[in-house]
């Protein structure tokens, strides 16, 4: 099923939702080179969340294959900032477009209900919770994690709690 609209009208412009979408698209274009091989691999390696790096269970310099003739090496230190940066990176155009579509469709109503500041905090906490859940699942994983999917899943859960009876039209 693919949702394409809902019957829930908003009272206010979705400024925060639009800004988050803009930041994700800007990151994709500028930081990730719109998906070109080397910038994409470099961004995933340098800004993606690697559980083993965060927990310190992977030694610095651990080599992670990133594609044909591309290797990522883990950095010394825990790279705590990657808990935030990974939420603004994506692995492909479809990954980005899918995430941003779901964020637009459901985020505008959740933002409208919560208010802008509470929505920003909620969005970031959902992304953080998803990252912590992933790290707890496999604390020594060398696989880089990128994407806003965890934060957006939290927004979708918020939508479900706030609007359990609103009709969502799907294909």
């Amino acid at each position: 099923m693919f949702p394409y609209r809902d019957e829930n009208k908003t009272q206010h412009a979705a400024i925060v939702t639009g800004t988050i979408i803009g930041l994700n698209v800007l990151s994709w274009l500028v930081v990730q080179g719109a998906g070109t091989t080397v910038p994409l691999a470099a961004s995933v390696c340098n800004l993606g969340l690697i559980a083993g790096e965060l927990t310190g269970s992977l030694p610095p310099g651990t080599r992670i294959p990133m594609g044909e003739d591309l290797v990522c090496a883990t950095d010394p230190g825990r790279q705590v900032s990657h808990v935030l940066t990974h939420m603004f990176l994506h692995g492909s155009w479809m990954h980005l477009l899918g995430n941003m579509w779901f964020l637009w469709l459901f985020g505008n109503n959740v933002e409208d209900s919560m208010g802008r500041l509470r929505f920003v905090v909620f969005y970031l906490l959902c992304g953080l919770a998803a990252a912590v859940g992933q790290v707890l699942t496999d604390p020594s994983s060398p696989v880089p994690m990128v994407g806003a999917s965890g934060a957006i899943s939290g927004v979708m859960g918020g939508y479900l709690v706030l609007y359990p009876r609103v009709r969502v039209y799907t294909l």
Side-chain angles (χ1 to χ4, degrees):
M1 283 192 291
F2 183 79
Y4 62 91
R5 74 176 182 94
D6 63 2
E7 290 182 339
N8 207 1
K9 304 297 180 210
T10 58
Q11 302 295 317
H12 305 94
I15 303 294
V16 172
T17 300
T19 300
I20 293 170
I21 291 170
L23 288 171
N24 276 276
V25 171
L26 187 64
S27 294
W28 175 254
L29 296 173
V30 175
V31 176
Q32 298 193 274
T36 54
T37 304
V38 173
L40 178 62
S43 68
V44 169
C45 178
N46 297 325
L47 298 169
L49 178 61
I50 300 173
E53 194 173 55
L54 185 67
T55 62
S57 60
L58 286 177
T62 299
R63 297 171 57 83
I64 304 162
M66 296 293 289
E68 196 172 313
D69 299 325
L70 293 171
V71 176
C72 174
T74 57
D75 296 322
R78 297 201 184 266
Q79 309 305 323
V80 176
S81 64
H82 297 188
V83 172
L84 178 66
T85 58
H86 87 279
M87 286 188 261
F88 296 92
L89 304 174
H90 289 83
S92 69
W93 274 104
M94 289 306 293
H95 186 202
L96 174 70
L97 292 173
N99 273 342
M100 296 307 100
W101 177 256
F102 276 76
L103 178 57
W104 179 252
L105 189 64
F106 300 108
N108 63 347
N109 296 116
V110 176
E111 177 184 346
D112 199 37
S113 175
M114 290 184 164
R116 293 180 178 135
L117 182 59
R118 283 179 52 202
F119 180 71
V120 168
V121 172
F122 178 70
Y123 180 86
L124 293 173
L125 285 175
C126 288
L128 176 64
V132 167
Q134 182 69 27
V135 170
L136 289 175
T137 300
D138 190 357
S140 61
S141 174
V143 178
M145 179 173 88
V146 296
S149 302
I152 294 167
S153 294
V155 170
M156 291 172 62
Y159 184 94
L160 183 62
V161 168
L162 291 167
Y163 309 106
R165 292 181 181 21
V166 170
R167 183 178 300 234
V168 176
Y169 294 91
T170 61
L171 294 174

